[in-house]
Amino acid sequence: MTQLPTVLACGLATLDVTQVVDRVPGPDEKVVARSLAVAAGGPALNAAITAARLGCAATLLTRVGDGGPAAPVRAELAAEGVALVDAADDAWTLPVSTVLVTQGTGERAVVSTNAAGRAPSAPADVTLPDGTAAVLVDGHHLDLALGAAAAARAAGVPVLLDGGSWKAGLDELLALVDVAVLSADLRLPDGPQGALDDDDVDALLAGVGALGPAVVARSSGPGPVDVLVRTGGRSKRGRVEVQQIDDDTVVDTLGAGDVLHGAALAGLARLPRTSLALPGAPADPGLVLVGALSALTVATRVATASVQHAGARGWTRDPGLVATLRAALDG
């Protein structure tokens, strides 16, 4: 039997309470939900489960704890075959996210404490699982992220950033990141904060790359993914076109970015070292770009499939779809 690629996802886990509504209520207004679902969530958790469904041996490093919200999260991770390394102390309470999904559009509104209230501390001492081929960090739990990224850097293991938004300490973390995949919402603190034109996007990719990553990509929902590779004093630009689907097939955009990053993690773990721009290992930017585009092309396919199903993991309930997407990564 072929050994599964081993990956580590480090970051936030939550308990998501999701209700589907016809529209988001206004001030002092009540609406009746069409449905209710309670499930484990969080960017790193969803990425770990995505990678596991795509044929990886996945471990999640996070803080869960033992409080009431923690039990269903632990149970779901166990059911998905994701190993949990829990760094929670006795004072930790698992964040609960309240999610409203609009029935007609699949758009979501989210309220969550995330990891707020926990001041960043010195990097934690992190040991990677044996055979780890790639590590994902989402910027939450900065002490764990810095520890995991430092351990990966020392072991020559590529680090992928889920760059959902700018967070305190992200500049320090980016110095240890090899591949950064940004959301359309991320802005540099000293850069434009509104809508971005093409020149602004170029500046954003270059600005993030200057902080450490050799590969920087930016997703934009159903729009293309822009990619910049800089290594060996040379740079290459590329773009991944996202499969277009009819608006009436969009069921739920919740967690689509998490799924994209989890699929990218699974793809990164499968890339040969010649397709990675790791420190101390000179690489041709053209080869690195080809590898990045290959992994991101399949990752966007997985994310597109996810928005056509309810929740971040509804797509995993279709065995044929999962097998097809996994075969695309293996190919």
Side-chain angles (χ1 to χ4, degrees):
M1 178 181 292
T2 303
Q3 185 173 358
L4 300 179
T6 298
V7 297
L8 173 69
C10 174
L12 187 66
T14 65
L15 183 68
D16 289 352
V17 179
T18 303
Q19 299 184 78
V20 177
V21 295
D22 291 324
R23 59 184 176 82
V24 176
D28 297 322
E29 182 184 11
K30 294 181 180 179
V31 297
V32 177
R34 288 176 171 265
S35 63
L36 168 70
V38 179
L45 181 145
N46 283 329
I49 291 178
T50 297
R53 286 301 186 111
L54 293 174
C56 294
T59 296
L60 174 65
L61 170 60
T62 186
R63 291 185 168 98
V64 173
D66 296 315
V73 172
R74 289 179 174 277
E76 193 162 348
L77 287 170
E80 292 285 354
V82 174
L84 172 63
V85 177
D86 188 4
D89 56 25
D90 292 340
W92 177 256
T93 299
L94 185 76
V96 176
S97 292
T98 302
V99 185
L100 297 180
V101 177
T102 303
Q103 172 73 20
T105 65
E107 296 174 323
R108 80 283 192 273
V110 182
V111 178
S112 177
T113 57
N114 291 341
R118 190 179 187 97
S121 57
D125 185 10
V126 174
T127 300
L128 301 182
D130 290 343
T132 298
V135 170
L136 174 141
V137 291
D138 65 10
H140 295 280
H141 300 306
L142 183 62
D143 59 328
L144 301 181
L146 288 170
R153 176 60 58 88
V157 172
V159 178
L160 167 69
L161 172 71
D162 171 352
S165 62
W166 189 269
K167 301 173 181 67
L170 189 56
D171 50 349
E172 184 180 359
L173 181 58
L174 280 166
L176 298 169
V177 167
D178 302 295
V179 180
V181 180
L182 316 177
S183 78
D185 295 329
L186 188 138
R187 301 288 185 273
L188 289 169
D190 57 353
Q193 299 302 305
L196 304 184
D197 60 24
D198 289 344
D199 289 340
D200 292 330
V201 172
D202 288 343
L204 174 65
L205 296 178
V208 172
L211 295 173
V215 180
V216 184
R218 179 182 183 266
S219 64
S220 54
V225 179
D226 288 301
V227 184
L228 171 66
V229 172
R230 298 198 306 182
T231 181
R234 294 179 292 165
S235 64
K236 289 279 188 179
R237 278 294 304 268
R239 172 171 282 187
V240 174
E241 297 295 338
V242 175
Q243 175 190 0
Q244 297 301 298
I245 57 176
D246 293 335
D247 289 344
D248 58 5
T249 67
V250 177
V251 174
D252 187 353
T253 61
L254 177 66
D258 306 343
V259 171
L260 174 73
H261 291 98
L265 176 66
L268 188 63
R270 288 168 164 84
L271 286 179
R273 283 294 185 263
T274 53
S275 295
L276 299 172
L278 299 176
D284 180 271
L287 290 177
V288 175
L289 180 62
V290 168
L293 294 179
S294 174
L296 287 169
T297 296
V298 180
T300 61
R301 287 182 58 188
V302 182
T304 298
S306 79
V307 303
Q308 296 175 286
H309 298 77
R313 297 187 293 280
W315 64 279
T316 67
R317 300 185 185 97
D318 182 340
L321 174 62
V322 173
T324 297
L325 294 172
R326 180 172 171 177
L329 273 177
D330 290 334

